[in-house]
Amino acid sequence: MIFTTQDNRRGFSKFADEYQSPDQKNNSLKILVTGASGFIGSRLLKKLIKIKSEIPDTRDSKYTIRCLTRNRNTFGNPDMDKQGNPSRVEIVEGDLSNYEDCLKALKDVDVAFYLVHSMEGSSKNWKKFSEKEQETAENFAKAADKCGVKRIIYLGGLTHGKESELSQHMLSRKHVGDILKKSHAKVTIFRAAVILGSGGGSFEMLRYLVERLPLMICPKWVLTKCQPIFIDDVITYLSSSIEIPQTEGKAFEIGGPDILTYVEMMKIYAKILGKSINILIIPFLTPRLSSYWVDLVTPIKASLARPLIDSLKHEAVVKDDQIKKIIPIKLKSFEDSLRYCINEEDKYKRKKDKSLIKKERTSMSANYKILLISLFLLLAIGTTYYFLDDRVQFLQPFWLFIAAVWYLLIFVSIYFVRFGARLGALIAGILGWGSLVFWLLDNFHMVSGYSIIAERPSNNEIWRDIVGIIIASFTAISSHNIFHKIRLHG
């Protein structure tokens, strides 16, 4: 049995009848979506709007949608559907950490989706983030009781570890669920592992790692099993639970049909791309070091990568699949989910404003070209020390070793820059500034009258150093631009 749109329409009508007294039949069922501009919330909001637009506008089936966001400007125009017809979505601007905002958002609400979660930032501040999350959940639960909210639906993380073994990230999500359950509302909790969807942190990290690196250095957590689930399947569970009384006051584990390790996920994604990857597992790599590595080779910040990696340390496999009997949907396989996400990425790029894309690509493309040309010119200039330079100091073991490291770093930088990894720009920046300082010091005699590094260079060597200074400057500037902009254009 698979749920259809008609099932959803009937479900909402039945649910509205169930929660309204006979003299309130003309009132609509009010649904609140928090975090409505986020990865999960935005998709759930679209799903609810779609279901609502397909429900006949009769007395028994009316319901309204309210969404809460800290900044209404993050929305496009959720008040209008694709045909430009009013969808009657009420937008409330507020912050759930403010109790008064909670009251304002929850007023007259029957069903509230709690989809607020943020552990981004330095791990030093995670305890503070966790405490704030718990305070926010307490505000929400208290306000829900005050406003007479009948149901709360929460999406948490899937893990079976003991609390003492959980990361601060996963522990915080568990505590939020526990706090919400203390309210008088009937609380439904869905626990999911890796959620696959375009724009989601887990998918983006997987995508960038596979697309940009033929050789990956990974910690042992990539061997941990998890049960990834497609974003649309998560949204179906969330939206369908409104109409299913059996989901009230219960917790459910949700996952896709495949149980995989992160290594297997990367290999499947590489296979789809027709790409060969090699994976080197280093057991002593900590989550912190792993997050820094992800930060350097992808546009994903270390502060966001760290909680994602932490969540992958624990096995996340569904042990209780009772939800399949209550909401029997056809789950999308991991490979099919990836293919769908790739298509969505392509559609997004095509829909994006063409003038903006052209401007972005021109800026980034110019910087990439300048950086690659500069690095190759640095290689060429370096060779002149062995046929143009008469100073024997540069043939001594120390300088030969420095030259070998210098050449190696140039090749490594070129390699990573070609794959769009920030690490390449970082190494290029170090090379650019180091070379700039070296050639300035080599020409220091022009200011002071004496040389610092070696014997006084000849006229040809002076001109070589001046050209090198110019090229090193271009290397430093272009690498800086790429390193700081690559997150936006990744």
Side-chain angles (χ1 to χ4, degrees), residues 155-208:
L155 179 64
L158 175 61
T159 182
H160 300 289
K162 298 177 181 178
E163 284 200 6
S164 58
E165 299 172 348
L166 296 180
S167 65
Q168 190 71 47
H169 168 70
M170 295 302 293
L171 189 60
S172 178
R173 299 187 74 174
K174 183 179 182 301
H175 285 166
V176 167
D178 292 340
I179 291 169
L180 294 176
K181 284 193 295 184
K182 293 178 182 178
S183 71
H184 297 152
K186 295 176 181 179
V187 180
T188 301
I189 298 177
F190 289 98
R191 298 192 177 106
V194 173
I195 299 177
L196 298 169
S198 178
S202 299
F203 170 72
E204 296 301 322
M205 185 168 72
L206 174 69
R207 179 167 75 94
Y208 285 119

Side-chain angles (χ1 to χ4, degrees), residues 51-114:
I51 296 172
K52 176 182 176 181
S53 67
E54 295 168 347
I55 295 178
D57 193 19
T58 63
R59 190 180 70 171
D60 295 337
S61 62
K62 284 185 178 179
Y63 72 99
T64 58
I65 303 169
R66 176 186 293 168
C67 60
L68 176 71
T69 180
R70 282 180 290 187
N71 182 4
R72 67 170 60 239
N73 294 327
T74 57
F75 284 90
N77 189 4
D79 291 314
M80 306 294 287
D81 60 23
K82 291 183 179 179
Q83 286 72 39
N85 302 315
S87 59
R88 297 186 297 276
V89 175
E90 179 187 358
I91 302 175
V92 176
E93 196 171 60
D95 190 333
L96 290 181
S97 62
N98 184 307
Y99 179 67
E100 294 302 320
D101 286 349
C102 288
L103 289 174
K104 180 173 64 174
L106 289 166
K107 183 180 179 182
D108 300 326
V109 165
D110 298 292
V111 181
F113 284 93
Y114 192 88

